[in-house]
Amino acid sequence: MNSAEHASPPEHVSAEVVVEVEGCAAADAHAVFGALRTAFRSDRAADDVPREMAGPGTTVWTSTVDVGERGTEPEPRPLTAPVVVTLQGGYWAVDQLCAGLKPAFAVTVLGMAAGDQEKEVELRLETLRRTVTKGAP
């Protein structure tokens, strides 16, 4: 990546992204939030472990992530099943967050809704599969 991709947000542009994780196991939500905490600043502490909620309906876990400063690149994290994540924020901030997830997961964009100042992106995250090159150690 070039330095422009890691640049600070343009002046008067929010670096916050609201992240919603839904319809998955609590352990998978925890893996997603852990990767985000490694890559950026988050309002979810490391010991804030998502818990399954009893009852009808889908459980949705949320977090606000500040992508204004990059942390370290997250390691690949296994998931028990694909996870749907919705990101809401400014164009620059959402793009930074998407880029921050790619070292940890296989990321597929499912859809996007764009507005004047913000966009919403729905992603599917899956366990990152490394390709093995024949003859590689």
Side-chain angles (χ1 to χ4, degrees):
M1 291 186 184
N2 64 38
S3 60
E5 292 173 339
H6 291 290
S8 297
E11 193 172 334
H12 305 295
V13 172
S14 175
E16 290 188 348
V17 178
V18 175
V19 179
E20 296 178 350
V21 179
E22 64 179 292
C24 66
D28 289 341
H30 189 57
V32 172
F33 291 132
L36 291 172
R37 259 192 323 278
T38 299
F40 306 106
R41 197 171 35 204
S42 170
D43 66 348
R44 291 187 80 96
D47 62 351
D48 184 3
V49 179
R51 287 177 279 200
E52 301 286 339
M53 302 301 291
T58 302
T59 301
V60 179
W61 295 280
T62 62
S63 179
T64 301
V65 178
D66 182 344
V67 300
E69 291 181 36
R70 272 283 172 104
T72 58
E73 186 173 287
E75 295 290 321
R77 296 176 187 241
L79 298 171
T80 61
V83 175
V84 174
V85 176
T86 303
L87 311 176
Q88 298 171 330
Y91 284 79
W92 179 86
V94 169
D95 291 345
Q96 292 299 303
L97 195 135
C98 287
L101 287 170
K102 288 182 179 180
F105 306 104
V107 178
T108 304
V109 177
L110 299 176
M112 183 184 77
D116 268 354
Q117 304 294 317
E118 293 189 346
K119 69 178 175 179
E120 179 176 304
V121 177
E122 187 174 70
L123 305 174
R124 182 176 61 239
L125 306 179
E126 297 179 89
T127 299
L128 190 59
R129 306 274 184 231
R130 300 282 184 193
T131 57
V132 177
T133 305
K134 190 173 184 177

mmCIF file with all atom_site columns, all heavy atoms in Angstrom, residues 82-106:
data_model
loop_
_atom_site.group_PDB
_atom_site.id
_atom_site.type_symbol
_atom_site.label_atom_id
_atom_site.label_alt_id
_atom_site.label_comp_id
_atom_site.label_asym_id
_atom_site.label_entity_id
_atom_site.label_seq_id
_atom_site.pdbx_PDB_ins_code
_atom_site.Cartn_x
_atom_site.Cartn_y
_atom_site.Cartn_z
_atom_site.occupancy
_atom_site.B_iso_or_equiv
_atom_site.pdbx_formal_charge
_atom_site.auth_seq_id
_atom_site.auth_comp_id
_atom_site.auth_asym_id
_atom_site.auth_atom_id
_atom_site.pdbx_PDB_model_num
ATOM 1   N N   . PRO A 1 82  ? -19.104 -17.880 7.609  1.00 0.00 ? 82  PRO A N   1
ATOM 2   C CA  . PRO A 1 82  ? -19.045 -16.502 7.105  1.00 0.00 ? 82  PRO A CA  1
ATOM 3   C C   . PRO A 1 82  ? -19.798 -15.539 8.037  1.00 0.00 ? 82  PRO A C   1
ATOM 4   O O   . PRO A 1 82  ? -20.802 -15.907 8.649  1.00 0.00 ? 82  PRO A O   1
ATOM 5   C CB  . PRO A 1 82  ? -19.729 -16.588 5.743  1.00 0.00 ? 82  PRO A CB  1
ATOM 6   C CG  . PRO A 1 82  ? -19.534 -18.007 5.320  1.00 0.00 ? 82  PRO A CG  1
ATOM 7   C CD  . PRO A 1 82  ? -19.629 -18.802 6.598  1.00 0.00 ? 82  PRO A CD  1
ATOM 8   N N   . VAL A 1 83  ? -19.288 -14.328 8.145  1.00 0.00 ? 83  VAL A N   1
ATOM 9   C CA  . VAL A 1 83  ? -19.856 -13.300 9.019  1.00 0.00 ? 83  VAL A CA  1
ATOM 10  C C   . VAL A 1 83  ? -20.256 -12.100 8.163  1.00 0.00 ? 83  VAL A C   1
ATOM 11  O O   . VAL A 1 83  ? -19.484 -11.657 7.318  1.00 0.00 ? 83  VAL A O   1
ATOM 12  C CB  . VAL A 1 83  ? -18.823 -12.863 10.087 1.00 0.00 ? 83  VAL A CB  1
ATOM 13  C CG1 . VAL A 1 83  ? -19.347 -11.709 10.919 1.00 0.00 ? 83  VAL A CG1 1
ATOM 14  C CG2 . VAL A 1 83  ? -18.444 -14.046 10.975 1.00 0.00 ? 83  VAL A CG2 1
ATOM 15  N N   . VAL A 1 84  ? -21.460 -11.577 8.395  1.00 0.00 ? 84  VAL A N   1
ATOM 16  C CA  . VAL A 1 84  ? -21.927 -10.375 7.703  1.00 0.00 ? 84  VAL A CA  1
ATOM 17  C C   . VAL A 1 84  ? -21.649 -9.173  8.602  1.00 0.00 ? 84  VAL A C   1
ATOM 18  O O   . VAL A 1 84  ? -22.023 -9.162  9.775  1.00 0.00 ? 84  VAL A O   1
ATOM 19  C CB  . VAL A 1 84  ? -23.422 -10.463 7.357  1.00 0.00 ? 84  VAL A CB  1
ATOM 20  C CG1 . VAL A 1 84  ? -23.910 -9.147  6.761  1.00 0.00 ? 84  VAL A CG1 1
ATOM 21  C CG2 . VAL A 1 84  ? -23.670 -11.611 6.399  1.00 0.00 ? 84  VAL A CG2 1
ATOM 22  N N   . VAL A 1 85  ? -20.974 -8.178  8.024  1.00 0.00 ? 85  VAL A N   1
ATOM 23  C CA  . VAL A 1 85  ? -20.600 -6.973  8.745  1.00 0.00 ? 85  VAL A CA  1
ATOM 24  C C   . VAL A 1 85  ? -21.106 -5.768  7.953  1.00 0.00 ? 85  VAL A C   1
ATOM 25  O O   . VAL A 1 85  ? -20.941 -5.724  6.732  1.00 0.00 ? 85  VAL A O   1
ATOM 26  C CB  . VAL A 1 85  ? -19.061 -6.887  8.895  1.00 0.00 ? 85  VAL A CB  1
ATOM 27  C CG1 . VAL A 1 85  ? -18.648 -5.599  9.561  1.00 0.00 ? 85  VAL A CG1 1
ATOM 28  C CG2 . VAL A 1 85  ? -18.534 -8.083  9.667  1.00 0.00 ? 85  VAL A CG2 1
ATOM 29  N N   . THR A 1 86  ? -21.709 -4.818  8.639  1.00 0.00 ? 86  THR A N   1
ATOM 30  C CA  . THR A 1 86  ? -22.156 -3.581  8.011  1.00 0.00 ? 86  THR A CA  1
ATOM 31  C C   . THR A 1 86  ? -21.323 -2.438  8.559  1.00 0.00 ? 86  THR A C   1
ATOM 32  O O   . THR A 1 86  ? -21.164 -2.310  9.778  1.00 0.00 ? 86  THR A O   1
ATOM 33  C CB  . THR A 1 86  ? -23.649 -3.327  8.277  1.00 0.00 ? 86  THR A CB  1
ATOM 34  O OG1 . THR A 1 86  ? -24.398 -4.453  7.806  1.00 0.00 ? 86  THR A OG1 1
ATOM 35  C CG2 . THR A 1 86  ? -24.132 -2.076  7.572  1.00 0.00 ? 86  THR A CG2 1
ATOM 36  N N   . LEU A 1 87  ? -20.790 -1.616  7.653  1.00 0.00 ? 87  LEU A N   1
ATOM 37  C CA  . LEU A 1 87  ? -19.974 -0.462  8.019  1.00 0.00 ? 87  LEU A CA  1
ATOM 38  C C   . LEU A 1 87  ? -20.713 0.801   7.616  1.00 0.00 ? 87  LEU A C   1
ATOM 39  O O   . LEU A 1 87  ? -21.242 0.880   6.499  1.00 0.00 ? 87  LEU A O   1
ATOM 40  C CB  . LEU A 1 87  ? -18.634 -0.494  7.280  1.00 0.00 ? 87  LEU A CB  1
ATOM 41  C CG  . LEU A 1 87  ? -17.859 -1.800  7.309  1.00 0.00 ? 87  LEU A CG  1
ATOM 42  C CD1 . LEU A 1 87  ? -16.609 -1.681  6.445  1.00 0.00 ? 87  LEU A CD1 1
ATOM 43  C CD2 . LEU A 1 87  ? -17.511 -2.189  8.728  1.00 0.00 ? 87  LEU A CD2 1
ATOM 44  N N   . GLN A 1 88  ? -20.741 1.805   8.510  1.00 0.00 ? 88  GLN A N   1
ATOM 45  C CA  . GLN A 1 88  ? -21.390 3.078   8.212  1.00 0.00 ? 88  GLN A CA  1
ATOM 46  C C   . GLN A 1 88  ? -20.460 4.201   8.613  1.00 0.00 ? 88  GLN A C   1
ATOM 47  O O   . GLN A 1 88  ? -20.007 4.251   9.760  1.00 0.00 ? 88  GLN A O   1
ATOM 48  C CB  . GLN A 1 88  ? -22.700 3.222   8.983  1.00 0.00 ? 88  GLN A CB  1
ATOM 49  C CG  . GLN A 1 88  ? -23.725 2.187   8.641  1.00 0.00 ? 88  GLN A CG  1
ATOM 50  C CD  . GLN A 1 88  ? -24.922 2.226   9.578  1.00 0.00 ? 88  GLN A CD  1
ATOM 51  O OE1 . GLN A 1 88  ? -24.804 2.578   10.737 1.00 0.00 ? 88  GLN A OE1 1
ATOM 52  N NE2 . GLN A 1 88  ? -26.078 1.857   9.052  1.00 0.00 ? 88  GLN A NE2 1
ATOM 53  N N   . GLY A 1 89  ? -20.155 5.080   7.662  1.00 0.00 ? 89  GLY A N   1
ATOM 54  C CA  . GLY A 1 89  ? -19.290 6.216   7.962  1.00 0.00 ? 89  GLY A CA  1
ATOM 55  C C   . GLY A 1 89  ? -18.935 6.957   6.700  1.00 0.00 ? 89  GLY A C   1
ATOM 56  O O   . GLY A 1 89  ? -19.461 6.680   5.622  1.00 0.00 ? 89  GLY A O   1
ATOM 57  N N   . GLY A 1 90  ? -18.009 7.888   6.836  1.00 0.00 ? 90  GLY A N   1
ATOM 58  C CA  . GLY A 1 90  ? -17.541 8.653   5.695  1.00 0.00 ? 90  GLY A CA  1
ATOM 59  C C   . GLY A 1 90  ? -16.810 7.760   4.706  1.00 0.00 ? 90  GLY A C   1
ATOM 60  O O   . GLY A 1 90  ? -16.295 6.701   5.068  1.00 0.00 ? 90  GLY A O   1
ATOM 61  N N   . TYR A 1 91  ? -16.755 8.205   3.481  1.00 0.00 ? 91  TYR A N   1
ATOM 62  C CA  . TYR A 1 91  ? -16.126 7.412   2.416  1.00 0.00 ? 91  TYR A CA  1
ATOM 63  C C   . TYR A 1 91  ? -14.698 7.011   2.771  1.00 0.00 ? 91  TYR A C   1
ATOM 64  O O   . TYR A 1 91  ? -14.332 5.840   2.672  1.00 0.00 ? 91  TYR A O   1
ATOM 65  C CB  . TYR A 1 91  ? -16.131 8.197   1.093  1.00 0.00 ? 91  TYR A CB  1
ATOM 66  C CG  . TYR A 1 91  ? -17.473 8.237   0.427  1.00 0.00 ? 91  TYR A CG  1
ATOM 67  C CD1 . TYR A 1 91  ? -18.465 9.100   0.854  1.00 0.00 ? 91  TYR A CD1 1
ATOM 68  C CD2 . TYR A 1 91  ? -17.743 7.384   -0.626 1.00 0.00 ? 91  TYR A CD2 1
ATOM 69  C CE1 . TYR A 1 91  ? -19.705 9.126   0.245  1.00 0.00 ? 91  TYR A CE1 1
ATOM 70  C CE2 . TYR A 1 91  ? -18.983 7.405   -1.257 1.00 0.00 ? 91  TYR A CE2 1
ATOM 71  C CZ  . TYR A 1 91  ? -19.951 8.279   -0.810 1.00 0.00 ? 91  TYR A CZ  1
ATOM 72  O OH  . TYR A 1 91  ? -21.187 8.292   -1.422 1.00 0.00 ? 91  TYR A OH  1
ATOM 73  N N   . TRP A 1 92  ? -13.882 7.975   3.160  1.00 0.00 ? 92  TRP A N   1
ATOM 74  C CA  . TRP A 1 92  ? -12.481 7.693   3.474  1.00 0.00 ? 92  TRP A CA  1
ATOM 75  C C   . TRP A 1 92  ? -12.378 6.698   4.628  1.00 0.00 ? 92  TRP A C   1
ATOM 76  O O   . TRP A 1 92  ? -11.619 5.734   4.571  1.00 0.00 ? 92  TRP A O   1
ATOM 77  C CB  . TRP A 1 92  ? -11.747 8.999   3.819  1.00 0.00 ? 92  TRP A CB  1
ATOM 78  C CG  . TRP A 1 92  ? -10.319 8.777   4.180  1.00 0.00 ? 92  TRP A CG  1
ATOM 79  C CD1 . TRP A 1 92  ? -9.262  8.690   3.328  1.00 0.00 ? 92  TRP A CD1 1
ATOM 80  C CD2 . TRP A 1 92  ? -9.790  8.584   5.490  1.00 0.00 ? 92  TRP A CD2 1
ATOM 81  N NE1 . TRP A 1 92  ? -8.108  8.444   4.036  1.00 0.00 ? 92  TRP A NE1 1
ATOM 82  C CE2 . TRP A 1 92  ? -8.411  8.388   5.363  1.00 0.00 ? 92  TRP A CE2 1
ATOM 83  C CE3 . TRP A 1 92  ? -10.367 8.558   6.768  1.00 0.00 ? 92  TRP A CE3 1
ATOM 84  C CZ2 . TRP A 1 92  ? -7.576  8.168   6.462  1.00 0.00 ? 92  TRP A CZ2 1
ATOM 85  C CZ3 . TRP A 1 92  ? -9.537  8.336   7.856  1.00 0.00 ? 92  TRP A CZ3 1
ATOM 86  C CH2 . TRP A 1 92  ? -8.160  8.147   7.698  1.00 0.00 ? 92  TRP A CH2 1
ATOM 87  N N   . ALA A 1 93  ? -13.155 6.932   5.693  1.00 0.00 ? 93  ALA A N   1
ATOM 88  C CA  . ALA A 1 93  ? -13.076 6.091   6.885  1.00 0.00 ? 93  ALA A CA  1
ATOM 89  C C   . ALA A 1 93  ? -13.503 4.653   6.589  1.00 0.00 ? 93  ALA A C   1
ATOM 90  O O   . ALA A 1 93  ? -12.846 3.695   7.020  1.00 0.00 ? 93  ALA A O   1
ATOM 91  C CB  . ALA A 1 93  ? -13.926 6.692   8.001  1.00 0.00 ? 93  ALA A CB  1
ATOM 92  N N   . VAL A 1 94  ? -14.589 4.481   5.850  1.00 0.00 ? 94  VAL A N   1
ATOM 93  C CA  . VAL A 1 94  ? -15.055 3.131   5.517  1.00 0.00 ? 94  VAL A CA  1
ATOM 94  C C   . VAL A 1 94  ? -14.022 2.407   4.652  1.00 0.00 ? 94  VAL A C   1
ATOM 95  O O   . VAL A 1 94  ? -13.732 1.231   4.874  1.00 0.00 ? 94  VAL A O   1
ATOM 96  C CB  . VAL A 1 94  ? -16.432 3.177   4.823  1.00 0.00 ? 94  VAL A CB  1
ATOM 97  C CG1 . VAL A 1 94  ? -16.807 1.824   4.233  1.00 0.00 ? 94  VAL A CG1 1
ATOM 98  C CG2 . VAL A 1 94  ? -17.505 3.636   5.811  1.00 0.00 ? 94  VAL A CG2 1
ATOM 99  N N   . ASP A 1 95  ? -13.422 3.114   3.701  1.00 0.00 ? 95  ASP A N   1
ATOM 100 C CA  . ASP A 1 95  ? -12.385 2.502   2.866  1.00 0.00 ? 95  ASP A CA  1
ATOM 101 C C   . ASP A 1 95  ? -11.183 2.064   3.700  1.00 0.00 ? 95  ASP A C   1
ATOM 102 O O   . ASP A 1 95  ? -10.611 0.992   3.477  1.00 0.00 ? 95  ASP A O   1
ATOM 103 C CB  . ASP A 1 95  ? -11.937 3.459   1.763  1.00 0.00 ? 95  ASP A CB  1
ATOM 104 C CG  . ASP A 1 95  ? -13.010 3.697   0.720  1.00 0.00 ? 95  ASP A CG  1
ATOM 105 O OD1 . ASP A 1 95  ? -13.993 2.924   0.662  1.00 0.00 ? 95  ASP A OD1 1
ATOM 106 O OD2 . ASP A 1 95  ? -12.865 4.671   -0.053 1.00 0.00 ? 95  ASP A OD2 1
ATOM 107 N N   . GLN A 1 96  ? -10.798 2.889   4.680  1.00 0.00 ? 96  GLN A N   1
ATOM 108 C CA  . GLN A 1 96  ? -9.673  2.535   5.559  1.00 0.00 ? 96  GLN A CA  1
ATOM 109 C C   . GLN A 1 96  ? -10.001 1.292   6.374  1.00 0.00 ? 96  GLN A C   1
ATOM 110 O O   . GLN A 1 96  ? -9.160  0.405   6.538  1.00 0.00 ? 96  GLN A O   1
ATOM 111 C CB  . GLN A 1 96  ? -9.336  3.699   6.498  1.00 0.00 ? 96  GLN A CB  1
ATOM 112 C CG  . GLN A 1 96  ? -8.763  4.902   5.809  1.00 0.00 ? 96  GLN A CG  1
ATOM 113 C CD  . GLN A 1 96  ? -7.466  4.597   5.109  1.00 0.00 ? 96  GLN A CD  1
ATOM 114 O OE1 . GLN A 1 96  ? -6.510  4.130   5.713  1.00 0.00 ? 96  GLN A OE1 1
ATOM 115 N NE2 . GLN A 1 96  ? -7.430  4.840   3.820  1.00 0.00 ? 96  GLN A NE2 1
ATOM 116 N N   . LEU A 1 97  ? -11.221 1.216   6.883  1.00 0.00 ? 97  LEU A N   1
ATOM 117 C CA  . LEU A 1 97  ? -11.605 0.064   7.689  1.00 0.00 ? 97  LEU A CA  1
ATOM 118 C C   . LEU A 1 97  ? -11.625 -1.210  6.835  1.00 0.00 ? 97  LEU A C   1
ATOM 119 O O   . LEU A 1 97  ? -11.136 -2.254  7.275  1.00 0.00 ? 97  LEU A O   1
ATOM 120 C CB  . LEU A 1 97  ? -12.956 0.289   8.359  1.00 0.00 ? 97  LEU A CB  1
ATOM 121 C CG  . LEU A 1 97  ? -13.205 -0.720  9.482  1.00 0.00 ? 97  LEU A CG  1
ATOM 122 C CD1 . LEU A 1 97  ? -13.754 -0.023  10.700 1.00 0.00 ? 97  LEU A CD1 1
ATOM 123 C CD2 . LEU A 1 97  ? -14.139 -1.793  9.017  1.00 0.00 ? 97  LEU A CD2 1
ATOM 124 N N   . CYS A 1 98  ? -12.163 -1.123  5.631  1.00 0.00 ? 98  CYS A N   1
ATOM 125 C CA  . CYS A 1 98  ? -12.156 -2.292  4.732  1.00 0.00 ? 98  CYS A CA  1
ATOM 126 C C   . CYS A 1 98  ? -10.740 -2.776  4.495  1.00 0.00 ? 98  CYS A C   1
ATOM 127 O O   . CYS A 1 98  ? -10.464 -3.979  4.560  1.00 0.00 ? 98  CYS A O   1
ATOM 128 C CB  . CYS A 1 98  ? -12.820 -1.945  3.395  1.00 0.00 ? 98  CYS A CB  1
ATOM 129 S SG  . CYS A 1 98  ? -14.609 -1.788  3.468  1.00 0.00 ? 98  CYS A SG  1
ATOM 130 N N   . ALA A 1 99  ? -9.828  -1.851  4.226  1.00 0.00 ? 99  ALA A N   1
ATOM 131 C CA  . ALA A 1 99  ? -8.426  -2.215  3.994  1.00 0.00 ? 99  ALA A CA  1
ATOM 132 C C   . ALA A 1 99  ? -7.814  -2.844  5.241  1.00 0.00 ? 99  ALA A C   1
ATOM 133 O O   . ALA A 1 99  ? -7.014  -3.781  5.148  1.00 0.00 ? 99  ALA A O   1
ATOM 134 C CB  . ALA A 1 99  ? -7.627  -0.988  3.565  1.00 0.00 ? 99  ALA A CB  1
ATOM 135 N N   . GLY A 1 100 ? -8.209  -2.371  6.414  1.00 0.00 ? 100 GLY A N   1
ATOM 136 C CA  . GLY A 1 100 ? -7.686  -2.913  7.660  1.00 0.00 ? 100 GLY A CA  1
ATOM 137 C C   . GLY A 1 100 ? -8.152  -4.326  7.962  1.00 0.00 ? 100 GLY A C   1
ATOM 138 O O   . GLY A 1 100 ? -7.487  -5.065  8.696  1.00 0.00 ? 100 GLY A O   1
ATOM 139 N N   . LEU A 1 101 ? -9.281  -4.734  7.397  1.00 0.00 ? 101 LEU A N   1
ATOM 140 C CA  . LEU A 1 101 ? -9.796  -6.093  7.613  1.00 0.00 ? 101 LEU A CA  1
ATOM 141 C C   . LEU A 1 101 ? -9.136  -7.131  6.701  1.00 0.00 ? 101 LEU A C   1
ATOM 142 O O   . LEU A 1 101 ? -9.115  -8.317  7.013  1.00 0.00 ? 101 LEU A O   1
ATOM 143 C CB  . LEU A 1 101 ? -11.311 -6.128  7.382  1.00 0.00 ? 101 LEU A CB  1
ATOM 144 C CG  . LEU A 1 101 ? -12.178 -5.485  8.460  1.00 0.00 ? 101 LEU A CG  1
ATOM 145 C CD1 . LEU A 1 101 ? -13.613 -5.379  7.975  1.00 0.00 ? 101 LEU A CD1 1
ATOM 146 C CD2 . LEU A 1 101 ? -12.089 -6.274  9.751  1.00 0.00 ? 101 LEU A CD2 1
ATOM 147 N N   . LYS A 1 102 ? -8.599  -6.699  5.565  1.00 0.00 ? 102 LYS A N   1
ATOM 148 C CA  . LYS A 1 102 ? -8.104  -7.639  4.553  1.00 0.00 ? 102 LYS A CA  1
ATOM 149 C C   . LYS A 1 102 ? -6.949  -8.531  4.999  1.00 0.00 ? 102 LYS A C   1
ATOM 150 O O   . LYS A 1 102 ? -6.883  -9.667  4.544  1.00 0.00 ? 102 LYS A O   1
ATOM 151 C CB  . LYS A 1 102 ? -7.761  -6.890  3.271  1.00 0.00 ? 102 LYS A CB  1
ATOM 152 C CG  . LYS A 1 102 ? -9.013  -6.435  2.558  1.00 0.00 ? 102 LYS A CG  1
ATOM 153 C CD  . LYS A 1 102 ? -8.721  -5.742  1.263  1.00 0.00 ? 102 LYS A CD  1
ATOM 154 C CE  . LYS A 1 102 ? -10.038 -5.342  0.586  1.00 0.00 ? 102 LYS A CE  1
ATOM 155 N NZ  . LYS A 1 102 ? -9.816  -4.674  -0.673 1.00 0.00 ? 102 LYS A NZ  1
ATOM 156 N N   . PRO A 1 103 ? -6.061  -8.105  5.885  1.00 0.00 ? 103 PRO A N   1
ATOM 157 C CA  . PRO A 1 103 ? -5.032  -9.049  6.331  1.00 0.00 ? 103 PRO A CA  1
ATOM 158 C C   . PRO A 1 103 ? -5.588  -10.179 7.217  1.00 0.00 ? 103 PRO A C   1
ATOM 159 O O   . PRO A 1 103 ? -4.991  -11.241 7.329  1.00 0.00 ? 103 PRO A O   1
ATOM 160 C CB  . PRO A 1 103 ? -4.059  -8.181  7.142  1.00 0.00 ? 103 PRO A CB  1
ATOM 161 C CG  . PRO A 1 103 ? -4.314  -6.787  6.702  1.00 0.00 ? 103 PRO A CG  1
ATOM 162 C CD  . PRO A 1 103 ? -5.773  -6.746  6.338  1.00 0.00 ? 103 PRO A CD  1
ATOM 163 N N   . ALA A 1 104 ? -6.750  -9.947  7.833  1.00 0.00 ? 104 ALA A N   1
ATOM 164 C CA  . ALA A 1 104 ? -7.306  -10.904 8.786  1.00 0.00 ? 104 ALA A CA  1
ATOM 165 C C   . ALA A 1 104 ? -8.348  -11.843 8.188  1.00 0.00 ? 104 ALA A C   1
ATOM 166 O O   . ALA A 1 104 ? -8.514  -12.973 8.666  1.00 0.00 ? 104 ALA A O   1
ATOM 167 C CB  . ALA A 1 104 ? -7.929  -10.160 9.968  1.00 0.00 ? 104 ALA A CB  1
ATOM 168 N N   . PHE A 1 105 ? -9.062  -11.386 7.149  1.00 0.00 ? 105 PHE A N   1
ATOM 169 C CA  . PHE A 1 105 ? -10.178 -12.155 6.604  1.00 0.00 ? 105 PHE A CA  1
ATOM 170 C C   . PHE A 1 105 ? -10.228 -12.048 5.084  1.00 0.00 ? 105 PHE A C   1
ATOM 171 O O   . PHE A 1 105 ? -9.710  -11.090 4.514  1.00 0.00 ? 105 PHE A O   1
ATOM 172 C CB  . PHE A 1 105 ? -11.513 -11.622 7.147  1.00 0.00 ? 105 PHE A CB  1
ATOM 173 C CG  . PHE A 1 105 ? -11.592 -11.547 8.636  1.00 0.00 ? 105 PHE A CG  1
ATOM 174 C CD1 . PHE A 1 105 ? -11.477 -10.333 9.301  1.00 0.00 ? 105 PHE A CD1 1
ATOM 175 C CD2 . PHE A 1 105 ? -11.766 -12.690 9.390  1.00 0.00 ? 105 PHE A CD2 1
ATOM 176 C CE1 . PHE A 1 105 ? -11.540 -10.255 10.677 1.00 0.00 ? 105 PHE A CE1 1
ATOM 177 C CE2 . PHE A 1 105 ? -11.831 -12.634 10.776 1.00 0.00 ? 105 PHE A CE2 1
ATOM 178 C CZ  . PHE A 1 105 ? -11.712 -11.409 11.416 1.00 0.00 ? 105 PHE A CZ  1
ATOM 179 N N   . ALA A 1 106 ? -10.903 -12.995 4.463  1.00 0.00 ? 106 ALA A N   1
ATOM 180 C CA  . ALA A 1 106 ? -11.274 -12.853 3.059  1.00 0.00 ? 106 ALA A CA  1
ATOM 181 C C   . ALA A 1 106 ? -12.503 -11.953 3.062  1.00 0.00 ? 106 ALA A C   1
ATOM 182 O O   . ALA A 1 106 ? -13.511 -12.273 3.705  1.00 0.00 ? 106 ALA A O   1
ATOM 183 C CB  . ALA A 1 106 ? -11.586 -14.204 2.444  1.00 0.00 ? 106 ALA A CB  1
#
